[in-house]
């Protein structure tokens, strides 16, 4: 079992640690400290030894940071964590709604004039600190320091040290040499001698390797330098790569050697200011030029082999999901808790005998808990299911050939009409994205509205993006493309995105429906313009709860879509299910 | 009659003028020259004395520029003018598709290494030249010079000198003193001593004045400086303001005094780099800080008085439009030309006895001419109408209380089914924008897709934005808000926008339907979220050709919208029409 249900922190731990930290800051003549959730790899998950924000404050969300001053300590959290933070942190910490309140504004208001605020230059990106400096406008000083939490965290866990494995060409679809040569050509074209790579999923993609240092995402903690001659310096703890064969074009160094090698490079050296830590800029100085991590775009555009792997992983995952839904349908809701749901679902995924990990902590929220957008059940919050309520289950698997992410909202018995009307609106938005055909150049910001319009017309909306990129046996949340109001990057063939509109009524119920989709070239239509157009292939093939659909609300085209979708689900899963699941499926895909 | 139909230029004029210009450039040791369409006020219309691009090249479009080198001369035009440019310029000029080909790339390819390219620092914005310099990367030199076209343009017309009139509080809704005090407070808050205003519509809005220097837009050619004490320096040719009463808070100077007053200012002085000319930056030097023209946002958010004026202007304009449509319906198409249509329509507008000007050159395109997005009929292109074709008429009026802009596409007799299907898709997009309700924070880029989705699903699209801002007895194309893929400025109550999707099949037919709409606060809905939401009020009340609608393609809601729209048109126009128009209207608004 991958998932655990213990409350990972307690509010009680915070006050003494905060007091100790303040004393330390005083010893070092610092007036404050930034404590981010991020580690040196800027990922969504961090190793236990990097859980500094949780250790200090008790807050365990996947995004946020704390600003500690002598008299106040703000925990900055976005819309997803407004409720959670109140339960997790003691009142020596002040939850600050972010980004409505910016860090600079808060510091300028709270800190004494001329205060010196420390930060660990490994944990903050160049862009982040530059933007903060700009806003502070010289009124406060930001000072890079060694990590002050690590000084006082006495029982800090060890850094992970899991072995690295090769990700073979049968799964990656392109050799590392070919990838490196393509990118090196780009570096030469831009006149750059090298590019610094600090994102582990970029390095794993480029070198066709996978690791096991962090839960939920098969990456290894490393940094790398790609040179314009296509060779690579890899900075990784000795011993982790023993299982890989020798490769003379990859020079391995201990992670600690990173700064000295960086220092010895000839410029210009490219670094991605939105992901590289400040220490890179400090070390490179004038040799540094800002530019995109060159792996990010080709990694996002999955090749045919990666897409075949994703399809296979989704077929496998759909079997587990349908077995789970059939099992759930046969239970009495009141005899189950949210944790039982998570345990059963992980069991069905494990039953595929191919599950490497879950791709994130399963969200299993019933009744009002489903309205907490990033709810994670623990023994403390665990709730018994009730007939008449909605159950929201958002989950995914890491398989060696692909990463899945699916949300289904399930009616437990007969639910109210209001829930069904809202569910149908969410479904209409989800269908609108699934069906849309759009010209080349269109970005996620432009189609996001299609998912929301049915809710908007009813005065409703949801406070999260409609979709995120997904990696290929990598991060379930992968950049750079998104379906979101702020994503102006044109969508390109091969990009995999989630399509997950929702609706949340606080204290009452929550709805989300999520499939993964791939951008592809759309077939030409008779009477259509002579212009490049794209549409989406749907990867996920799991029925959507028909009992929650109000058929009269659907247009002819929407009804056609759902019926055709269900027919494809049945086709994809034929012959792969248990008798119970097979029987359940045949009624679940009845036309509406 | 405001509109004229003479071809304003001839391709023959270009070659000798280009030869003469090249000789002049050689005399001044310049390897090239930029000749923009813009004047020193960066507006859409320019005075005859500023028609340098047309004088040199023959190209008369409302956007574009020429780059002259010794061996080549590129005329850069966007998608709207690809066809027109070919007819207007001689082949010594090369049409360059812009922005697909950038000016910097073209210059780097065409000009010899180290070439010196001249430009008039009054005619280019700071941002434009900075971006160009950045892209040229030191490989070519951009050199400000006095205007080289003016040196050789022997019969150049005089600068306009029309009197300025007051725009009274009954129309402006807010006194100039109040506007200036609000903006001055903003300047003080930002720590700026003054703001340079170079956009005539900003100055007209701020000082509650209107002018008559330029066709189609009631502005006066002037620059101004707004000080943090709310006083103003106004730079305007002596004599133009004789009709205004004295105002001690406005210090008047001849236009020529601008640079010396600018030079004497204490910094920091704000200038809007996207509209202020390079000469402002040259003169202010380090005193300049980049910042938005402070008039732009409050000017865009029309106040209740301005909105009442716009409603009155639209009722008046709708009478003229309906009289026109009724007249047209009674004619035999083959007895009319496109010019007859323009003349008749302007006649009906003039018949309101309130028309100050048309708000732009009426587009009257029949058959294949309607597929030319910014078609302007001349005696050379004038085409006889034919039964069975579509007629596209895009027009508007300048009234003292408001500016109108409306497009209707009219069936001449029975038209083909394909035209009707495409028309209905365009109408569906137009209705989607008209009906949408959206949360605060949403921008034009987010709703633009709603207007296109019905076309996209059929593999179709249109190559222009969906909507532009509209001024209040000012420019019919007013910034900063737009409904366009690139407009990320959140829409705010009081902003007036056009809603004008279209579809164009080259060589065959063109369709556009356009209403003006205003952003307003949407009423709360039962069951809706507790969040601020906006929707649109429609200002335009002129029937949409029912014979072009395929009713079976419309959803229940779309059909409801069109029938309710037509009912409101009838209600708004009741008692205001001639017998003929009244009879025509009653059949035009029959439910579909």
């Amino acid at each position: 079992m991958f998932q655990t249900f213990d409350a990972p922190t307690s509010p009680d731990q915070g006050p003494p640690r905060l007091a100790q930290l303040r004393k330390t800051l005083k010893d070092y003549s610092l007036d404050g400290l930034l404590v981010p959730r991020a580690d040196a790899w800027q990922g969504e998950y961090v190793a236990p030894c990097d859980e500094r924000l949780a250790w200090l404050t008790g807050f365990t969300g996947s995004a946020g940071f704390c600003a500690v001053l002598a008299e106040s300590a703000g925990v900055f959290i976005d819309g997803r964590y407004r409720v959670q933070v109140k339960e997790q942190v003691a009142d020596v910490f002040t939850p600050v709604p972010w980004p409505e309140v910016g860090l600079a504004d808060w510091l300028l208001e709270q800190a004494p004039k001329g205060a010196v605020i420390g930060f660990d230059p490994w944990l903050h990106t160049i862009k982040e600190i530059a933007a903060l400096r700009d806003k502070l406008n010289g009124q406060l000083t930001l000072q890079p320091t060694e990590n002050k939490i690590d000084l006082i965290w006495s029982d800090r866990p060890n850094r992970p040290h899991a072995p690295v494995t090769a990700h073979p060409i049968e799964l990656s679809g392109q050799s590392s040499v070919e990838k490196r040569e393509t990118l090196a050509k780009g570096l030469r074209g831009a006149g750059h001698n090298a590019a610094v790579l600090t994102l582990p999923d970029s390095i794993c993609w480029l070198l066709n390797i996978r690791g096991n240092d962090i839960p939920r995402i098969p990456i290894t903690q490393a940094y790398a330098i790609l040179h314009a001659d296509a060779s690579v310096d890899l900075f990784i703890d000795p011993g982790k790569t023993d299982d890989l064969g020798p490769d003379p074009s990859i020079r391995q160094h201990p992670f600690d050697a990173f700064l000295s090698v960086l220092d010895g490079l000839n410029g210009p050296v490219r670094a991605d200011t939105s992901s590289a830590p400040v220490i890179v800029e400090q070390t490179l100085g004038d040799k540094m030029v800002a530019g995109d991590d060159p792996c990010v775009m080709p990694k996002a555009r999955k090749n045919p082999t990666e897409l075949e792997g994703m399809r296979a992983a989704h077929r496998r995952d759909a079997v587990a999901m349908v077995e789970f839904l059939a099992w759930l349908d046969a239970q009495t809701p009141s005899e189950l808790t949210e944790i039982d749901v998570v345990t059963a679902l992980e069991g069905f995924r494990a039953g595929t005998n191919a599950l490497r990990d879950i791709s994130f902590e399963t969200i299993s929220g019933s009744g009002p808990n489903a309205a907490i957008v990033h709810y994670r059940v623990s023994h403390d919050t665990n709730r018994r299911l009730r007939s008449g309520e909605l159950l929201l289950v958002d989950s995914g698997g890491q398989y060696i050939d692909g990463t899945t992410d699916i949300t289904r909202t399930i009616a437990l018995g007969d639910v109210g009409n209001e829930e069904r009307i809202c569910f149908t609106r969410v479904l209409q938005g989800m269908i609108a994205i699934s069906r849309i055909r759009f010209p080349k150049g269109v970005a996620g910001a432009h189609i996001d509205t299609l998912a929301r319009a049915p809710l908007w017309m009813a005065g409703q909306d949801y406070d999260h993006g409609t979709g995120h990129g997904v990696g290929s046996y990598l991060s379930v949340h992968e950049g750079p493309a998104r379906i979101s109001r702020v994503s102006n990057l044109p969508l390109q063939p091969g990009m995999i995105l989630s399509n997950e509109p929702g609706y949340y009524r606080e204290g009452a119920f929550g709805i989300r429906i999520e499939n993964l989709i791939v951008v592809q070239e759309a077939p030409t239509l008779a009477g259509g313009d002579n212009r490049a157009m794209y549409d989406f292939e749907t990867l996920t093939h799991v029925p959507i709860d028909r009992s929650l659909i109000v058929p009269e609300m659907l247009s002819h085209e929407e009804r056609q879509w759902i019926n055709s979708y269900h027919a494809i689900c049945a086709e994809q899963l034929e012959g792969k299910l248990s008798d119970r699941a097979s029987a359940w499926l045949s009624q679940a895909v009845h036309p509406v």
Side-chain angles (χ1 to χ4, degrees), chain A:
Chain A
M1 184 79 197
F2 294 107
Q3 190 152 337
T4 59
F5 306 100
D6 296 323
T9 59
S10 142
D12 302 340
Q13 70 187 47
R17 292 174 184 175
L18 180 62
Q20 197 186 353
L21 178 63
R22 281 181 170 144
K23 190 172 164 300
T24 306
L25 295 180
K26 212 170 167 187
D27 292 346
Y28 284 87
S29 302
L30 290 171
D31 301 304
L33 185 73
L34 305 183
V35 182
R37 201 274 178 171
D39 62 14
W41 295 275
Q42 297 294 329
E44 184 174 347
Y45 286 92
V46 301
C49 64
D50 290 321
E51 292 274 14
R52 298 177 184 93
L53 181 66
W55 179 85
L56 177 69
T57 67
F59 174 67
T60 60
S62 68
F65 54 92
C66 181
V68 176
L69 297 171
E71 303 293 328
S72 54
V75 178
F76 293 69
I77 32 78
D78 65 34
R80 296 173 292 177
Y81 294 116
R82 300 281 152 83
V83 178
Q84 178 176 331
V85 73
K86 286 182 213 158
E87 287 158 10
Q88 292 193 311
V89 309
D91 58 10
V92 294
F93 296 100
T94 311
V96 183
W98 183 87
E100 292 79 352
V101 178
L103 173 58
D105 290 336
W106 188 87
L107 286 173
L108 287 170
E109 195 191 289
Q110 301 276 329
K113 192 116 187 162
V116 177
I117 313 293
F119 72 97
D120 180 343
W122 290 89
L123 305 188
H124 298 265
T125 68
I126 298 167
K127 191 174 260 178
E128 187 189 339
I129 293 297
L132 182 57
R133 275 228 167 83
D134 197 49
K135 284 184 193 139
L136 291 177
N137 207 3
Q139 296 175 264
L140 301 177
T141 300
L142 287 179
Q143 185 170 298
T145 68
E146 66 187 327
N147 197 291
K148 297 294 181 258
I149 297 284
D150 299 357
L151 283 183
I152 60 172
W153 186 353
S154 50
D155 55 348
R156 191 169 159 233
N158 289 330
R159 186 153 294 290
H161 191 78
V164 171
T165 54
H167 194 58
I169 189 85
E170 296 73 35
L171 296 170
S172 67
Q174 191 182 21
S175 74
S176 172
V177 169
E178 208 181 310
K179 290 179 182 178
R180 282 183 262 154
E181 277 173 357
T182 305
L183 299 196
K185 200 175 155 193
L187 286 180
R188 294 194 299 270
H192 298 161
N193 270 330
V196 179
L197 305 178
T198 64
L199 291 176
D201 64 341
S202 287
I203 296 166
C204 287
W205 173 85
L206 182 65
L207 303 183
N208 285 341
I209 57 174
R210 295 295 185 268
N212 197 17
D213 282 344
I214 303 280
R216 316 298 170 248
I217 163 169
I219 48 110
T220 189
Q221 291 188 336
Y223 277 1
I225 297 168
L226 171 67
H227 294 266
D229 67 0
S231 73
V232 166
D233 287 298
L234 178 64
F235 303 88
I236 191 163
D237 284 344
K240 281 167 75 172
T241 56
D242 288 352
D243 295 350
L244 297 178
D247 182 341
S249 66
I250 302 180
R251 294 175 291 272
Q252 289 199 31
H253 313 262
F255 192 82
D256 292 346
F258 176 64
L259 295 185
S260 62
V261 173
L262 207 58
D263 191 44
L265 291 180
N266 292 321
V269 177
R270 186 195 298 187
D272 192 326
T273 57
S274 63
S275 53
V278 169
I279 194 86
V280 169
E281 186 183 37
Q282 284 180 4
T283 309
L284 284 173
D286 288 348
K287 289 186 296 189
M288 193 191 100
V289 287
D292 291 342
D293 176 332
C295 305
V296 166
M297 280 305 297
K299 171 161 57 64
R301 292 191 303 256
K302 273 69 180 173
N303 63 40
T305 305
E306 290 171 316
L307 290 177
E308 259 323 303
M310 285 296 270
R311 289 186 195 105
H314 277 80
R315 275 191 297 271
R316 192 182 306 126
D317 200 63
V319 170
M321 276 297 297
V322 168
E323 292 287 348
F324 160 73
L325 291 169
W327 165 84
L328 182 66
D329 192 44
Q331 312 305 307
T332 305
S334 60
E335 292 174 2
L336 293 177
T337 66
E338 293 168 339
I339 288 181
D340 295 333
V341 167
V342 175
T343 307
L345 175 53
E346 192 175 313
F348 287 111
R349 281 208 167 88
T352 64
N353 293 318
L355 186 70
R356 296 300 181 106
D357 198 341
I358 52 175
S359 60
F360 57 96
E361 317 300 319
T362 295
I363 296 171
S364 163
S366 68
N369 281 352
I372 304 168
V373 175
H374 281 68
Y375 176 63
R376 180 185 160 184
V377 58
S378 73
H379 290 301
D380 293 349
T381 66
N382 192 22
R383 198 172 171 281
R384 191 161 288 282
L385 308 192
R386 279 187 214 155
S387 189
E389 288 186 343
L390 296 180
L391 171 68
L392 186 159
V393 182
D394 187 351
S395 68
Q398 289 284 11
Y399 303 96
I400 200 164
D401 46 3
T403 303
T404 71
D405 185 359
I406 173 171
T407 309
R408 289 294 179 265
T409 302
I410 304 134
L412 302 172
D414 288 337
V415 303
N417 210 35
E418 179 67 7
E419 282 89 331
R420 294 179 68 234
I421 290 170
C422 293
F423 182 91
T424 306
R425 287 185 193 124
V426 172
L427 177 64
Q428 289 177 298
M430 192 265 198
I431 293 176
I433 297 286
S434 304
R435 288 184 65 230
I436 193 66
R437 160 191 286 264
F438 55 91
K440 185 179 168 178
V442 161
H446 306 127
I447 63 169
D448 180 66
T449 296
L450 297 172
R452 298 176 193 271
L455 290 163
W456 285 358
M457 294 308 286
Q460 302 174 333
D461 197 5
Y462 51 94
D463 291 325
H464 58 74
T466 299
H468 53 82
V470 177
S472 175
Y473 190 42
L474 279 174
S475 178
V476 75
H477 292 155
E478 182 180 273
R482 282 187 288 165
I483 304 177
S484 138
R485 197 183 290 175
V486 296
S487 183
N488 285 308
L489 182 84
L491 299 176
Q492 295 181 32
M495 286 178 167
I496 297 175
L497 295 156
S498 70
N499 170 15
E500 49 177 316
Y503 180 66
Y504 312 92
R505 190 164 290 175
E506 205 182 321
F509 61 87
I511 295 161
R512 187 159 64 250
I513 312 174
E514 177 187 26
N515 279 350
L516 297 196
I517 53 180
V518 192
V519 183
Q520 62 180 1
E521 284 178 22
T524 309
L525 295 180
D529 301 349
N530 179 21
R531 62 175 86 228
M533 296 196 87
Y534 301 144
D535 63 6
F536 293 114
E537 171 192 347
T538 293
L539 290 172
T540 311
H541 288 116
V542 176
I544 290 162
D545 194 339
R546 289 170 61 245
S547 77
L548 286 171
I549 302 174
V550 182
E552 311 82 66
M553 288 171 64
L554 300 185
S555 70
H556 173 69
E557 290 79 11
E558 288 164 344
R559 204 183 282 223
Q560 221 168 20
W561 186 90
I562 188 81
N563 289 335
S564 142
Y565 177 71
H566 279 162
I568 297 170
C569 291
E571 191 186 298
Q572 291 275 328
L573 297 171
E574 204 187 332
K576 301 191 175 76
L577 299 173
S578 69
D579 288 350
R580 176 174 69 188
S582 194
W584 178 85
L585 181 67
S586 64
Q587 57 76 29
V589 299
H590 261 298
V592 294

